């Protein structure tokens, strides 16, 4: 064999080995399924969630030698569609983890599919399933009891003795109402109503009439997004002058826009990200929140003005952190199980909303560091000391 021929063969082999080395470095993409509500009554939350996940992709799209690819579907604010989307992603697209969706009912529907198929779910809606039913999910939004207790503390300081409640006729409405009852009684506050309405309803006049007739010192809602403005609009129409409160599910510019003057002065709990620039320099969430804002600006061409996009960004951070600790090849049942185990063992991960600590037997990972009280003043959320 001629020397030139041997050289060509050696060069070809070297190039082939080099190409294989590069290919093996990214042997299998880590596939993320993202489900949100880009249409329907929950879209005022679902659209910000989408912008937040884009910020996550812009911030980092590779982990542990794996390129990250994302499959996204719109569930149209429908839980059954959310479940079908999850099954399609898992069975056809072979995703390793799902992040989603915008509403609690949809998240619970996805959780059932996640459990059946043994695929980890990072819920960005407030959803809780006890025991084995929720063994394949974690939930990023702060639990209702943690946030509602902060509101009740504020009510007590303000001298509130009676409070009216109106919420969605779904899982989120139930979570807030149950949390309110557990916190209010020890604080010496009586809950005088439990009115409900559907997310797609266009009027709550009847429910609000009942509340106003009871003359409570304050009213709190268990709602979210633009449909969450309805009770405050109706309270204004009926001349209600008492204090108004909400939850972290209302921190959204569309809610502020629709509510207008009727939501001026509203007090609500939220994650620190919404007032990041108002936090002390020593707060660990300040830096991550500012990093999120930069990534959001890069991905969306504008600054964030809501709390929801930060939840999906935190979902991306949780996924990245867990994947960095997960051995094996994406696309396999073994990898999905190992990734789930890594997610539920997350420790002291600093996000925009919380410093996350998960446990296998608990869906939530937030503590007191994840909440601040804000007040709506002239359309802007201000930190309440």
């Amino acid at each position: 064999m001629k020397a030139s021929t041997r050289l060509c063969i050696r060069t070809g082999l070297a190039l082939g080995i080099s190409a294989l080395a590069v290919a093996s470095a990214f042997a299998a993409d880590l596939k993320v399924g993202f489900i949100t509500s880009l249409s329907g009554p929950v879209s005022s939350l679902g659209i910000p969630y989408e912008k937040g996940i884009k910020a996550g992709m812009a911030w980092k799209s590779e982990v542990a030698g794996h390129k990250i690819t994302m499959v996204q579907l719109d569930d149209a604010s429908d839980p059954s569609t959310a479940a079908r989307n999850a099954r399609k992603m898992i069975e056809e697209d072979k995703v390793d983890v799902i992040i989603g969706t915008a509403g609690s009912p949809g998240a619970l529907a996805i959780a059932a599919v996640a459990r059946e198929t043994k695929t980890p779910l990072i819920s960005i809606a407030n959803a809780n399933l006890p025991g084995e039913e929720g063994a394949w999910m974690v939930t990023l939004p702060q639990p209702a009891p943690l946030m509602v207790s902060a509101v009740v503390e504020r009510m007590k300081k303000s001298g509130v003795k009676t409070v009216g409640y109106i919420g969605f006729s779904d899982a989120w409405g139930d979570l807030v109402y149950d949390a309110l009852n557990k916190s209010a009684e020890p604080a010496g506050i009586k809950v005088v109503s439990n009115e409900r309405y559907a997310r797609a309803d266009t009027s709550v006049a009847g429910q609000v009439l009942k509340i106003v007739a009871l003359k409570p010192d304050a009213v709190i809602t268990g709602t979210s997004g633009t449909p969450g403005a309805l009770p405050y609009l109706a309270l204004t129409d009926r001349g209600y002058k008492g204090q108004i409160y909400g939850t972290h599910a209302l921190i959204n510019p569309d809610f502020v826009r629709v509510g207008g003057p009727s939501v001026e002065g509203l007090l609500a709990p939220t994650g620190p990200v919404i007032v990041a620039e108002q936090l002390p320099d020593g707060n660990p969430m300040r830096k991550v929140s500012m990093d999120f804002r930069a990534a959001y600006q890069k991905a969306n061409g504008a600054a964030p003005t809501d709390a929801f996009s930060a939840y999906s960004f935190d979902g991306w951070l949780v996924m990245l952190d867990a994947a960095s600790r997960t051995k094996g090849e994406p696309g396999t049942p073994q990898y999905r199980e190992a990734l789930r185990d890594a997610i539920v063992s997350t420790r002291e991960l600093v996000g925009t909303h919380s410093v996350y600590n998960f446990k296998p037997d608990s869906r939530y990972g937030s503590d007191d560091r994840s909440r601040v009280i804000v007040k709506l003043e002239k359309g802007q959320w201000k930190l309440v000391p």
Side-chain angles (χ1 to χ4, degrees), residues 144-145 147-155 160 162-168 172-173 175-181 183-184 189-197 208 211 216-224 228 231-232 235 240 242-250 266-269 373:
M147 302 303 260
V148 172
S149 65
V151 176
V152 170
E153 289 170 14
R154 179 62 52 177
M155 288 181 184
V160 171
T162 57
V163 59
Y165 177 77
I166 178 170
F168 287 149
W172 178 235
L175 284 170
V176 177
Y177 181 71
D178 291 345
L180 178 63
N181 272 304
S183 296
I189 299 172
K190 183 178 180 181
V191 182
V192 298
S193 69
N194 180 16
E195 297 296 329
R196 301 301 185 94
Y197 68 101
V208 166
I211 293 173
D217 297 330
V219 173
I220 184 172
T221 67
T223 59
S224 64
Y232 301 102
L235 285 166
Y240 181 73
Q243 299 177 42
I244 53 173
Y245 295 87
T247 69
H248 48 313
L250 297 177
L266 175 75
L267 286 158
I373 294 291

Side-chain angles (χ1 to χ4, degrees), residues 1-327:
M1 185 181 295
K2 293 182 180 180
S4 59
T5 302
R6 288 197 298 273
L7 178 61
C8 288
I9 292 172
R10 285 198 298 271
T11 302
L13 285 171
L15 289 171
I17 292 169
S18 177
L20 284 171
V22 172
S24 63
F26 293 95
D29 289 354
L30 171 60
K31 290 188 176 181
V32 177
F34 179 63
I35 302 172
T36 190
S37 304
L38 298 178
S39 55
V42 196
S43 60
S44 65
L45 310 183
I47 292 170
Y49 279 137
E50 181 192 38
K51 293 180 178 179
I53 211 74
K54 287 180 179 177
M57 280 286 284
W59 191 69
K60 190 173 183 181
S61 59
E62 174 272 331
V63 62
H66 300 291
K67 179 183 176 183
I68 302 172
T69 59
M70 188 173 69
V71 180
Q72 178 177 325
L73 290 173
D74 173 20
D75 65 18
S77 303
D78 177 56
S80 61
T81 302
R84 287 195 299 272
N85 285 350
R87 193 172 297 281
K88 178 182 184 300
M89 287 177 167
I90 295 164
E91 295 178 353
E92 298 180 18
D93 300 305
K94 309 298 181 184
V95 299
D96 298 292
V97 58
I98 291 177
I99 300 174
T101 181
S104 299
L108 292 172
I110 296 171
V113 178
R115 180 178 67 251
E116 177 192 336
T117 59
K118 296 185 177 180
T119 304
L121 165 65
I122 300 172
S123 176
I124 51 177
N126 212 311
N128 184 28
L129 284 173
E132 285 301 311
E133 287 189 340
W136 285 83
M137 71 180 290
V138 295
T139 297
L140 297 192
Q142 301 89 331
L146 180 69
M147 302 303 260
V148 172
S149 65
V151 176
V152 170
E153 289 170 14
R154 179 62 52 177
M155 288 181 184
K156 185 176 180 179
K157 289 179 181 179
S158 299
V160 171
K161 297 297 182 183
T162 57
V163 59
Y165 177 77
I166 178 170
F168 287 149
S169 53
D170 62 21
W172 178 235
D174 294 341
L175 284 170
V176 177
Y177 181 71
D178 291 345
L180 178 63
N181 272 304
K182 289 176 182 177
S183 296
E185 185 176 354
I189 299 172
K190 183 178 180 181
V191 182
V192 298
S193 69
N194 180 16
E195 297 296 329
R196 301 301 185 94
Y197 68 101
R199 292 174 186 256
D201 287 352
T202 57
S203 173
V204 292
Q207 296 94 320
V208 166
L209 273 173
K210 294 177 185 178
I211 293 173
V212 172
L214 295 169
K215 299 180 180 179
D217 297 330
V219 173
I220 184 172
T221 67
T223 59
S224 64
T226 50
L230 274 178
Y232 301 102
L233 294 168
L235 285 166
T236 298
D237 288 344
R238 297 300 167 186
Y240 181 73
K241 301 297 182 184
Q243 299 177 42
I244 53 173
Y245 295 87
T247 69
H248 48 313
L250 297 177
I251 311 299
N252 177 285
D254 284 339
F255 165 79
V256 176
R257 173 182 56 80
V258 173
S262 296
V263 295
E264 182 71 11
L266 175 75
L267 286 158
T270 187
V273 63
I274 202 68
V275 286
E277 71 286 349
Q278 301 174 46
L279 298 174
D281 291 336
N283 189 302
M285 284 166 275
R286 179 186 172 102
K287 182 183 183 304
V288 177
S289 295
M290 300 311 288
D291 289 344
F292 156 67
R293 291 187 179 187
Y296 186 102
Q297 179 79 39
K298 178 181 177 182
N300 300 291
T305 57
D306 68 282
F308 295 93
S309 55
Y311 284 123
S312 46
F313 184 81
D314 279 3
W316 197 258
L317 296 183
V318 170
M319 179 273 296
L320 288 173
D321 175 73
S324 72
R325 297 180 283 111
T326 302
K327 307 298 182 184

